[in-house]
Amino acid sequence: MKRIMGLDVGDKTIGVAVSDELGWTAQGVETIKRQSREKDFARLDEWIAKYDVGEIVVGLPKNMNGTIGPRGEICQAFASRLEAHTSLPVHLWDERLTTMAAERMLISADVSRQKRKKVIDKMAAVLILQGYLDAKSR
């Protein structure tokens, strides 16, 4: 069974998570420092090959009223380009509040501010992917 990759796409970083082989749990693998589309996609290609990924979930930041703003439009465009690049199905997943939830989890685990900054996007990718996996299993 192919794995599912979850992405938290930001301006400066991309948080990356992958599912286990059964599609039950999400684990964070990396926070990619963004350089260029080509380099970002090349790094994602490495993870896709390493984990035998069969589909991708990209977090879609919606406004609290459910509308899609400029940041959401950027993520939609990224997802479209990624789907064309990889020929894998790319799904958009409502990621409202995932970064705040990740921050709260790291604070409650007493992770220092400096360390939180390094892993927050990877943790958000885990929450995006886990939400998708949980909804898919229902």
Side-chain angles (χ1 to χ4, degrees):
M1 191 168 158
K2 296 211 176 250
R3 294 182 192 231
I4 303 171
M5 174 183 279
L7 302 176
D8 179 45
V9 179
D11 290 328
K12 296 179 183 175
T13 61
I14 301 172
V16 182
V18 294
S19 70
D20 64 338
E21 284 118 344
L22 298 174
W24 291 350
T25 62
Q27 299 86 35
V29 293
E30 182 183 26
T31 299
I32 298 171
K33 297 247 186 281
R34 298 200 66 181
Q35 298 175 37
S36 68
R37 186 183 311 161
E38 295 77 27
K39 288 182 180 180
D40 298 346
F41 281 7
R43 187 66 181 142
L44 290 172
D45 287 341
E46 291 173 26
W47 288 119
I48 289 166
K50 180 176 181 171
Y51 286 102
D52 192 25
V53 170
E55 62 185 292
I56 301 169
V57 178
V58 173
L60 177 63
K62 291 184 177 180
N63 297 321
M64 291 312 292
N65 66 2
T67 61
I68 296 173
R71 182 80 230 145
E73 290 171 357
I74 290 168
C75 288
Q76 287 175 320
F78 179 91
S80 293
R81 286 192 294 271
L82 185 61
E83 189 168 48
H85 173 79
T86 62
S87 299
L88 294 173
V90 177
H91 314 285
L92 292 164
W93 185 255
D94 185 351
E95 67 152 86
R96 279 180 277 191
L97 306 178
T98 55
T99 301
M100 284 194 294
E103 180 92 18
R104 280 195 304 272
M105 287 171 60
L106 293 167
I107 289 170
S108 69
D110 204 27
V111 175
S112 72
R113 182 173 301 187
Q114 187 174 355
K115 288 181 183 172
R116 280 197 312 263
K117 205 171 179 181
K118 292 178 183 175
V119 299
I120 191 80
D121 298 312
K122 179 170 54 172
M123 192 71 169
V126 168
L127 294 174
I128 290 164
L129 180 54
Q130 192 63 57
Y132 177 81
L133 296 172
D134 291 348
K136 194 173 174 179
S137 71
R138 279 189 221 123

